[in-house]
């Protein structure tokens, strides 16, 4: 074990040396430097890494950190105060163990630091033993209160000392909140005097902690900090990083002068093999602090002297306990033998014997509780599901009886088994997933999903990619919030190239319309990888995206979860129809008519009443799909698309709404994104949560097509479903109207529906007296998708599919929209509950 002395003479533990594991960084003096283009490779990496050229690196033998530069619009990802004061120069963006490439910190903002600063600079380069980066906002910039934050590091410190100096240069007393802020952790809490945070995914084995320090001229503030006129005060905190919250918190406790000793916990199974999958919980009343062992089952961390209560939890094993006595300045070894593990071992294949990506769901039966395998933002164990990049995987389960379902999206049948898991035993589950829905010539796509670089979620990028592949999405452009990004390296590294393809893109996001667009080329080392900045007018954003990086003839631009009222009906929200943002429809390729949950294509009205937030009163909600039908009748040729907009894996995950688009190949690895875009721009899209709906006219026109000079049209309608998707109604919409003579249900036409894969196939003649657009809807009004999605939100959805319109120009003189608003006026903004109630009940 190696120990070093900090400048105050306190002993710090080098946990990496104690464990003898983790990154082996070269021993070197602390240093600080500004990142030049030639040194971009020296920036720390990890899930939340945000360093770019011009930022400042602080590092020593144990840790490496990034402090953001003073540059216009400098910010981390979207979680960090987007809006008027969204810039965060001079903040701690990244902090990880040296060489670990495991940054999990989005931002640490001392005293909620944000907005313009006067400078960020290297105050000490480390040549004299201490490295410092300093950021300052002068009193002139901050209404008379000058603020300086110093980030300091010495060799041997496993964390950053952050000193804040405040000087009141005004004539009046100043009071501020003494509130440091960090963002985007899965779990945070307080353990004694220390605030701690766990990694985005606990399996990543990283933790953070900080606390106020006293002495050396520093004071520990309360909730408020008051600075008299002409006075200066200094406060400090130590921000530590470790392989777990317990390791980081122990370092902070020691830095605060607590009498600490080392607990070295060694976990083994009954055969004496190390157990690296467990969680060691340090219990202190209501507070719980987690430590994680390495692959050999070893975990060591500092803890205050005295009795310690430990609970060791590992899936599929009985909970173990230990109550060691920590002794100041001493190493106490705590050997713990865990019981044998139980669980399931999977071997899932396709009909050709190939291992394939898939999803397993677990439900306890006969009195066995359903498992909680982990946080909803990860693939390998999210609540009661496990998403896998291959068919060979295992998951620990407590002994008991379970119903296990294995799926791979809506083209495959499912496997369902009721199994007994004996204590201390892994049971094998083998099975074949049969692809029964024939989608030859079409690929399954989703144009809108997210992972942790977006900032408003903590889903790992690998987890998102696995989620997409397990749900059998074959093409998914990369669409992180406000940054250019490319999932291709993740897909390649995970071995998923045969199953999923992507192209680099963006969701350009702000307080108004959000727009997805691709392709782009990320520019590493630049703010947001070189992405443009969102503007208030969606037309400006559409033009910017269309022409950005030199433009591309096949550039795709869509509006996400659109406010169709603001975009196309009432731009200024004054309650009067003003055509919205004139010309917007010609600048985009599509709008999302469905985004994640629900279906309302047959709603029959443009609005509905729903409970207000908090359950008190009611509010007005617009029905996007009905508005879309109204706008089509006004002559807006706007294509609809449907997406998951996934921000998690369980719950808000990929796989619900998706779009099928024609493709020359059914091999995902060979998908040509340009062909996909060209077909999508032509409206050749079928939107679905489960049914595979094919519609074409007798002369071959499909979604987005045009039939000219004919009043008699025959639609060939074919619907396929796997064994957990059901339909009981097929409805043809003519100019958005659900005609009763074109409504076919299992009850009214039982002979037209089957229980085979082809649930419905008919040729339906239509006689039209005027130009019309036709949309076929296939829906299961009396069923859900529970088998395929289980307890997650998608499981409550009904199977539903529809397509973009087929236009029929009856007289051959060019298609003319009929202007029909479908019995309701085009809704303007600000409609009251009373207005809507009156219209709905007239």
């Amino acid at each position: 074990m190696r120990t070093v002395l900090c400048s105050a003479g306190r002993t710090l533990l080098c946990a990496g040396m104690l464990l003898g594991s983790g990154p082996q960084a070269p021993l070197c003096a602390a240093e600080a430097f500004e990142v030049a283009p030639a040194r971009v490779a020296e920036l720390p990496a990890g899930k939340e890494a945000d360093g770019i050229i011009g930022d400042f690196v602080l590092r020593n033998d144990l840790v490496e950190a990034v402090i953001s530069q003073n540059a216009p619009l400098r910010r981390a990802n979207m979680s960090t105060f987007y809006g008027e004061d969204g810039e965060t120069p001079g903040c701690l963006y990244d902090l990880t163990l040296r060489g670990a490439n495991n940054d999990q910190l989005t931002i640490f903002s001392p005293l909620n630091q944000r907005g313009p600063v006067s400078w960020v600079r290297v105050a000490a380069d480390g040549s004299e033993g201490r490295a410092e980066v300093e950021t300052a906002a002068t009193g002139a910039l901050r209404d008379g209160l000058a603020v300086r934050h110093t980030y300091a590091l010495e060799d041997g410190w496993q964390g950053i000392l952050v000193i804040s100096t405040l000087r009141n240069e005004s004539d009046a007393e100043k009071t501020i909140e003494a509130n440091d802020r960090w963002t985007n952790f899965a779990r945070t809490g307080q353990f004694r005097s220390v605030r701690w945070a766990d990694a985005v995914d606990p399996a990543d084995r990283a933790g953070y902690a900080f606390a106020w320090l006293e002495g050396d001229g520093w004071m520990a503030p309360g909730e408020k900090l008051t600075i008299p006129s002409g006075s200066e005060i200094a406060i400090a905190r130590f921000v530590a990083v470790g392989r777990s919250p317990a390791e980081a918190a122990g370092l902070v406790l020691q830095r605060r002068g607590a009498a600490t000793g080392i607990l070295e916990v060694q976990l083994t199974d009954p055969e004496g093999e190390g157990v690296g999958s467990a969680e060691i919980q340090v219990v202190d009343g209501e507070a719980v602090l987690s430590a994680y062992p390495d692959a050999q089952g070893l975990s060591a961390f500092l803890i205050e002297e005295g009795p310690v209560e430990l609970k060791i939890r590992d899936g599929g094993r009985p909970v173990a306990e230990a109550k060691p006595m920590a002794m100041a300045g001493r190493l106490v070894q705590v050997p713990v033998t865990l019981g044998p593990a139980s669980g399931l071992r999977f071997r899932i294949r396709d009909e050709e014997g190939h291992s394939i990506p898939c999803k397993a769901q677990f439900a306890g039966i006969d009195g066995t509780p359903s498992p909680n395998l982990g946080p909803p933002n990860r693939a390998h164990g999210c609540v009661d599901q496990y998403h896998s990049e291959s068919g060979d995987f295992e998951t620990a389960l407590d002994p008991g009886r379970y119903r296990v379902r294995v799926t791979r999206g809506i083209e495959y049948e499912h496997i369902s088994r009721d199994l007994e898991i004996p204590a201390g035993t892994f049971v094998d589950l083998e099975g074949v997933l049969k692809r029964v829905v024939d989608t030859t010539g079409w690929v399954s796509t989703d144009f809108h999903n997210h992972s942790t670089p977006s900032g408003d979620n903590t889903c790992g990028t690998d987890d998102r990619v696995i989620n997409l592949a397990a749900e059998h999405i074959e093409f998914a452009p990369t669409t992180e919030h406000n940054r250019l990004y490319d999932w291709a390296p993740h897909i390649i590294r995970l071995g998923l190239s045969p199953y999923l393809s992507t192209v680099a893109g963006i969701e350009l996001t702000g307080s108004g319309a959000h727009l997805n667009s691709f392709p782009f080329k990320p520019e590493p080392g630049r703010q947001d990888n070189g992405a443009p900045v969102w503007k208030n007018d969606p037309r400006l954003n559409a033009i910017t995206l269309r022409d950005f990086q030199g433009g591309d003839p096949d550039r795709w631009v869509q509006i996400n979860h659109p406010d169709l009222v603001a975009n196309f009906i009432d731009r200024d929200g004054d309650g009067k129809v003003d055509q919205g943002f004139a010309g917007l429809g010609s600048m985009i390729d599509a709008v999302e008519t469905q985004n994640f949950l629900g279906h309302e294509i047959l709603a029959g009205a443009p609005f509905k009443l729903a409970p207000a937030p908090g359950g008190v009163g009611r509010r007005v909600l617009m029905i996007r799909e009905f508005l879309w039908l109204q706008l089509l009748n006004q002559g807006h040729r706007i294509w609809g698309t449907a997406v998951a907009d996934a921000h998690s894996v369980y719950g808000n995950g990929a796989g619900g709404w998706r779009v099928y688009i024609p493709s020359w190949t059914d091999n995902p690895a060979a998908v040509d994104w340009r062909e996909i875009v060209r077909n999508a721009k032509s409206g050749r899209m079928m939107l679905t949560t489960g049914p595979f709906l094919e519609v074409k006219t007798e002369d071959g026109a499909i979604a987005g097509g045009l039939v000219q000079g004919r009043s008699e049209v025959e639609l060939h309608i074919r619907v396929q479903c796997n064994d957990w998707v059901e339909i009981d109604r097929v409805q043809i919409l003519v100019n958005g109207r659900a005609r009763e003579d074109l409504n076919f249900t299992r009850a009214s036409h039982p002979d037209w529906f089957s229980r085979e894969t082809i649930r419905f196939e008919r040729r339906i003649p239509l006689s039209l007296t005027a130009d019309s657009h036709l949309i076929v809807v296939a829906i299961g009004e009396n069923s859900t998708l529970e088998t395929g999605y289980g307890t997650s939100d998608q499981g409550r959805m009904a199977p539903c599919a529809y397509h973009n319109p087929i236009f029929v120009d009856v007289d051959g003189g060019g298609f003319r929209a009929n202007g029909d608003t479908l019995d309701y006026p085009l809704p303007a903004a600000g409609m009251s509950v009373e207005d809507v109630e009156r219209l709905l009940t007239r």
Side-chain angles (χ1 to χ4, degrees):
M1 181 180 70
R2 182 172 72 92
T3 59
V4 297
L5 295 178
C6 74
S7 59
R10 302 186 183 95
T11 301
L12 295 178
L13 169 71
C14 176
M17 294 299 175
L18 172 70
L19 293 175
S21 63
Q24 299 299 308
L27 298 181
C28 58
E31 61 176 330
F33 61 89
E34 184 176 0
V35 179
R39 304 190 75 172
V40 170
E42 297 181 62
L43 284 164
K47 279 185 177 177
E48 302 299 326
D50 273 309
I52 63 174
I53 295 167
D55 285 344
F56 296 86
V57 167
L58 265 179
R59 67 186 183 189
N60 65 3
D61 57 330
L62 298 179
V63 300
E64 49 191 346
V66 169
I67 289 84
S68 54
Q69 64 188 285
N70 185 20
L73 301 177
R74 186 67 185 109
R75 57 188 184 266
N77 61 37
M78 202 181 73
S79 68
T80 53
F81 323 119
Y82 262 59
E84 290 185 359
D85 292 322
E87 299 174 37
T88 50
C91 289
L92 180 62
Y93 274 13
D94 304 327
L95 177 61
T96 184
L97 296 174
R98 181 77 180 269
N101 293 324
N102 193 28
D103 175 60
Q104 306 281 335
L105 179 72
T106 305
I107 188 173
F108 180 86
S109 175
L111 298 180
N112 201 16
Q113 161 72 32
R114 52 177 162 164
V117 299
S118 301
W119 67 78
V120 184
R121 65 189 181 193
V122 172
D125 64 6
S127 58
E128 297 183 3
R130 185 178 178 113
E132 294 181 351
V133 173
E134 174 188 87
T135 182
T138 62
L141 191 64
R142 295 288 175 91
D143 192 28
L145 183 62
V147 181
R148 184 175 72 253
H149 301 299
T150 301
Y151 302 89
L153 185 63
E154 294 184 15
D155 203 27
W157 292 4
Q158 198 172 318
I160 306 295
L161 175 64
V162 185
I163 306 167
S164 299
T165 305
L166 299 96
R167 186 175 68 255
N168 186 354
E169 300 173 349
S170 73
D171 296 330
E173 184 178 83
K174 295 284 187 180
T175 299
I176 65 169
E177 292 186 1
N179 179 31
D180 293 338
R181 181 169 175 179
W182 56 17
T183 62
N184 230 19
F185 287 108
R187 296 189 301 168
T188 62
Q190 186 92 11
F191 187 84
R192 298 174 185 172
S193 58
V194 177
R195 286 179 62 185
W196 60 266
D198 208 343
V200 168
D201 178 356
D204 287 332
R205 301 298 198 260
Y208 297 87
F210 75 94
W212 299 112
L213 303 181
E214 296 184 81
D216 294 335
W218 309 321
M219 56 169 288
E223 293 183 2
K224 301 284 186 180
L225 195 58
T226 299
I227 309 99
S229 174
S231 295
E232 180 177 286
I233 64 172
I235 56 176
R237 73 291 273 162
F238 188 68
V239 185
V241 59
R243 294 163 186 79
S244 68
E247 182 182 334
L251 291 160
V252 175
L253 286 168
Q254 186 190 59
R255 186 64 186 242
R256 283 175 54 85
T260 57
I262 304 167
L263 285 188
E264 184 182 83
V265 184
Q266 176 66 64
L267 306 180
T268 56
D269 64 16
E271 286 73 43
E273 296 294 323
V275 176
S277 55
E279 177 188 5
I280 302 163
Q281 295 180 335
V282 183
V283 181
D284 183 21
E286 296 296 319
V288 177
L289 193 63
S290 297
Y292 303 112
D294 64 13
Q296 289 72 46
L298 181 65
S299 176
F301 51 90
L302 287 160
I303 192 72
E304 286 184 277
E305 64 179 354
V308 180
E309 180 182 354
L310 301 179
K311 291 185 182 294
I312 297 92
R313 301 181 184 275
D314 190 29
R317 303 180 196 267
V319 176
E321 297 184 356
K323 295 185 178 180
M325 179 69 69
M327 292 181 284
R330 299 281 299 277
L331 170 67
V332 175
Q333 295 179 319
V334 187
V336 179
T337 300
L338 301 178
S342 58
L344 270 175
R345 187 178 296 112
F346 291 82
R347 189 175 185 274
I348 306 300
R349 299 292 184 266
D350 64 14
E351 293 174 282
E352 297 178 348
H354 300 136
S355 172
I356 54 173
C358 58
K359 175 183 71 182
Q361 300 178 65
F362 308 89
I365 58 175
D366 300 334
T368 299
S370 294
N372 186 345
L373 303 177
N377 54 13
R378 71 181 187 187
H380 292 167
C382 50
V383 190
D384 55 12
Q385 299 180 359
Y386 191 105
H387 298 237
S388 179
E389 60 271 36
S390 76
D392 297 296
F393 59 99
E394 64 180 43
T395 184
L397 291 170
D398 292 337
R401 286 186 56 76
Y402 297 90
R403 176 161 296 142
V404 183
R405 291 171 176 160
V406 184
T407 60
R408 187 167 190 255
I410 62 177
E411 297 180 31
Y412 289 77
E413 291 187 340
H414 78 292
I415 299 167
S416 182
R417 306 276 172 80
D418 290 355
L419 298 170
E420 176 81 30
I421 307 294
T425 302
F426 265 78
V427 174
D428 292 322
L429 192 159
E430 298 185 3
V432 174
L433 287 172
K434 298 180 180 179
R435 191 173 184 176
V436 294
V437 176
D438 182 4
T439 61
T440 302
W442 298 77
V443 295
S444 174
T445 74
D446 189 333
F447 282 9
H448 185 181
N449 288 288
H450 298 282
S451 64
T452 194
S454 285
D456 61 346
N457 70 103
T458 57
C459 176
T461 304
D462 285 355
D463 301 276
R464 169 62 59 237
V465 168
I466 294 169
N467 172 215
L468 288 163
E471 295 289 5
H472 196 215
I473 300 295
E474 297 167 300
F475 173 71
T478 308
T479 55
E480 305 289 10
H481 283 296
N482 292 318
R483 65 172 59 191
L484 305 181
Y485 202 79
D486 189 358
W487 291 340
H490 299 264
I491 293 171
I492 294 169
R493 186 176 63 253
L494 290 164
L496 289 173
S497 297
Y499 307 103
L500 176 66
S501 61
T502 190
V503 63
I506 189 176
E507 180 179 13
L508 192 58
T509 301
S511 57
H514 298 187
L515 290 88
N516 267 14
S517 186
F518 57 88
F520 294 107
K521 182 178 180 180
E523 301 176 42
R526 294 187 58 195
Q527 174 70 52
D528 300 326
N529 282 343
V533 177
W534 183 89
K535 302 174 183 66
N536 287 319
D537 191 324
R539 295 169 297 188
L540 296 178
N541 291 320
I543 292 170
T544 297
L545 292 169
R546 189 72 67 190
D547 297 335
F548 199 66
Q549 293 184 339
D552 189 292
D554 295 318
R555 178 72 46 80
W556 176 261
V557 179
Q558 72 179 44
I559 297 182
N560 299 338
H561 38 78
D563 181 344
L564 293 178
V565 172
N567 294 159
F568 298 101
I569 300 172
D570 180 9
R571 170 184 172 179
D572 55 14
D574 64 355
K576 300 177 181 178
V577 174
D578 58 17
Q579 308 306 316
F581 291 90
L584 176 60
S586 65
M587 300 177 182
I588 61 173
D589 298 309
V591 299
E592 290 177 356
T593 55
Q594 265 302 342
N595 176 278
F596 177 45
L597 287 178
H599 66 86
E600 296 179 296
I601 187 69
L602 301 177
F607 31 60
K608 63 182 177 180
L609 297 176
V616 179
R618 294 179 296 171
R619 59 175 171 162
V620 177
L621 295 180
M622 297 297 172
I623 297 177
R624 191 182 303 147
E625 285 160 309
F626 192 93
L627 289 169
W628 176 56
L629 297 175
Q630 287 183 308
L631 291 172
L632 288 172
N633 284 345
Q634 309 316 303
H636 291 279
R637 189 70 65 92
I638 306 169
W639 303 128
T641 187
V643 300
D645 191 5
H647 286 66
S648 189
V649 175
Y650 174 90
N652 178 207
W657 279 101
R658 64 184 72 195
V659 171
Y660 279 88
I661 300 177
S663 170
W664 74 275
T665 178
D666 295 308
N667 176 10
V671 165
D672 180 355
W673 70 263
R674 292 188 182 276
E675 181 198 19
I676 295 297
V677 167
R678 289 167 184 166
N679 280 322
K681 283 175 180 282
S682 298
R684 300 180 187 123
M685 295 185 279
M686 188 275 288
L687 294 58
T688 183
T689 64
F692 184 70
L693 169 67
E694 297 170 278
V695 179
K696 62 181 178 180
T697 65
E698 64 267 44
D699 54 359
I702 64 171
L706 175 66
V707 177
Q708 290 183 294
R710 295 173 57 183
S711 60
E712 302 292 328
V713 178
E714 183 179 80
L715 295 182
H716 181 197
I717 304 170
R718 187 171 187 252
V719 186
Q720 298 178 72
C721 298
N722 68 10
D723 60 357
W724 53 267
V725 173
E726 190 54 87
I727 63 162
D728 51 26
R729 179 183 179 186
V730 173
Q731 171 75 64
I732 301 175
L733 302 180
V734 180
N735 285 327
R737 290 189 173 272
R739 282 175 29 182
E740 186 55 39
D741 63 318
L742 299 176
N743 179 34
F744 313 107
T745 68
R746 192 178 288 273
S748 64
H749 295 72
D751 295 340
W752 289 22
F753 292 79
S754 82
R755 300 293 180 184
E756 304 300 320
T757 298
I758 300 175
R759 295 291 205 277
F760 183 98
E761 185 168 21
R762 303 292 296 187
R763 297 181 184 274
I764 309 293
L766 285 79
S767 294
L768 305 171
T769 59
D771 292 354
S772 303
H773 59 79
L774 310 175
I775 297 173
V776 178
V777 181
I779 190 170
E781 293 185 314
N782 299 297
S783 59
T784 70
L785 299 171
E786 181 181 0
T787 297
Y789 296 104
T791 58
S792 70
D793 294 336
Q794 298 106 310
R796 297 191 296 273
M797 290 197 300
C800 180
Y802 60 92
H803 57 85
N804 274 299
I806 298 172
F807 294 91
V808 182
D809 173 11
V810 170
D811 60 10
F815 183 86
R816 290 181 293 276
N818 66 2
D820 185 8
T821 60
L822 304 176
D823 300 327
Y824 291 92
L826 293 176
M831 295 190 72
S832 68
V833 169
E834 292 73 23
D835 292 336
V836 170
E837 193 171 51
R838 183 176 62 256
L839 287 168
L840 291 175
T841 58
R842 63 189 177 183

